[in-house]
Short mmCIF file of all heavy atoms in Angstrom, two decimals:
data_model
loop_
_atom_site.label_atom_id
_atom_site.label_comp_id
_atom_site.label_asym_id
_atom_site.label_seq_id
_atom_site.Cartn_x
_atom_site.Cartn_y
_atom_site.Cartn_z
N SER A 116 -65.34 -16.12 78.91
CA SER A 116 -64.48 -15.17 78.18
C SER A 116 -65.23 -14.59 76.99
O SER A 116 -65.06 -13.42 76.65
CB SER A 116 -63.21 -15.88 77.71
OG SER A 116 -62.42 -16.29 78.81
N ILE A 117 -66.08 -15.41 76.35
CA ILE A 117 -66.90 -14.92 75.24
C ILE A 117 -67.92 -13.93 75.77
O ILE A 117 -68.16 -12.86 75.17
CB ILE A 117 -67.58 -16.09 74.51
CG1 ILE A 117 -66.53 -17.04 73.93
CG2 ILE A 117 -68.51 -15.58 73.41
CD1 ILE A 117 -67.10 -18.33 73.35
N LEU A 118 -68.54 -14.26 76.89
CA LEU A 118 -69.47 -13.35 77.52
C LEU A 118 -68.80 -12.03 77.85
O LEU A 118 -69.35 -10.95 77.59
CB LEU A 118 -70.03 -13.99 78.80
CG LEU A 118 -70.90 -13.12 79.71
CD1 LEU A 118 -72.14 -12.62 79.00
CD2 LEU A 118 -71.29 -13.89 80.98
N ASP A 119 -67.60 -12.08 78.39
CA ASP A 119 -66.85 -10.87 78.71
C ASP A 119 -66.66 -10.00 77.47
O ASP A 119 -66.82 -8.77 77.50
CB ASP A 119 -65.47 -11.23 79.28
CG ASP A 119 -65.53 -11.82 80.68
OD1 ASP A 119 -66.62 -11.83 81.27
OD2 ASP A 119 -64.48 -12.29 81.16
N SER A 120 -66.27 -10.62 76.36
CA SER A 120 -65.99 -9.87 75.13
C SER A 120 -67.24 -9.20 74.59
O SER A 120 -67.19 -8.07 74.09
CB SER A 120 -65.37 -10.79 74.07
OG SER A 120 -66.29 -11.76 73.62
N VAL A 121 -68.38 -9.89 74.70
CA VAL A 121 -69.63 -9.29 74.21
C VAL A 121 -70.04 -8.11 75.10
O VAL A 121 -70.46 -7.06 74.61
CB VAL A 121 -70.75 -10.36 74.16
CG1 VAL A 121 -72.10 -9.71 73.86
CG2 VAL A 121 -70.44 -11.41 73.11
N VAL A 122 -69.93 -8.27 76.42
CA VAL A 122 -70.27 -7.20 77.34
C VAL A 122 -69.38 -5.98 77.09
O VAL A 122 -69.86 -4.85 77.03
CB VAL A 122 -70.13 -7.65 78.81
CG1 VAL A 122 -70.32 -6.45 79.77
CG2 VAL A 122 -71.13 -8.74 79.13
N SER A 123 -68.08 -6.20 76.90
CA SER A 123 -67.16 -5.11 76.63
C SER A 123 -67.46 -4.44 75.31
O SER A 123 -67.35 -3.22 75.17
CB SER A 123 -65.71 -5.65 76.63
OG SER A 123 -65.37 -6.16 77.90
N GLU A 124 -67.85 -5.23 74.29
CA GLU A 124 -68.17 -4.68 72.98
C GLU A 124 -69.42 -3.84 73.02
O GLU A 124 -69.47 -2.73 72.46
CB GLU A 124 -68.37 -5.83 72.00
CG GLU A 124 -68.84 -5.41 70.62
CD GLU A 124 -69.32 -6.59 69.77
OE1 GLU A 124 -69.00 -7.74 70.13
OE2 GLU A 124 -70.01 -6.35 68.77
N VAL A 125 -70.47 -4.31 73.72
CA VAL A 125 -71.74 -3.60 73.78
C VAL A 125 -71.68 -2.41 74.71
O VAL A 125 -72.32 -1.38 74.49
CB VAL A 125 -72.86 -4.56 74.21
CG1 VAL A 125 -74.20 -3.83 74.36
CG2 VAL A 125 -73.01 -5.70 73.20
N SER A 126 -70.90 -2.53 75.79
CA SER A 126 -70.82 -1.52 76.85
C SER A 126 -72.22 -1.08 77.27
O SER A 126 -72.59 0.08 77.21
CB SER A 126 -70.02 -0.29 76.37
OG SER A 126 -69.74 0.56 77.45
N PRO A 127 -73.04 -2.03 77.74
CA PRO A 127 -74.45 -1.75 78.02
C PRO A 127 -74.67 -0.92 79.28
O PRO A 127 -73.88 -1.00 80.22
CB PRO A 127 -75.03 -3.15 78.18
CG PRO A 127 -73.89 -3.95 78.75
CD PRO A 127 -72.66 -3.41 78.09
N VAL A 128 -75.75 -0.19 79.28
CA VAL A 128 -76.18 0.54 80.47
C VAL A 128 -77.24 -0.26 81.22
O VAL A 128 -77.30 -0.26 82.43
CB VAL A 128 -76.71 1.94 80.08
CG1 VAL A 128 -77.28 2.65 81.32
CG2 VAL A 128 -75.60 2.79 79.45
N THR A 129 -78.09 -0.94 80.45
CA THR A 129 -79.14 -1.76 81.05
C THR A 129 -78.97 -3.21 80.56
O THR A 129 -78.94 -3.47 79.36
CB THR A 129 -80.53 -1.26 80.66
OG1 THR A 129 -80.64 -1.17 79.24
CG2 THR A 129 -80.80 0.09 81.28
#
Side-chain angles (χ1 to χ4, degrees):
S116 295
I117 299 172
L118 172 61
D119 289 353
S120 67
V121 172
V122 174
S123 297
E124 174 192 345
V125 176
S126 191
V128 175
T129 54

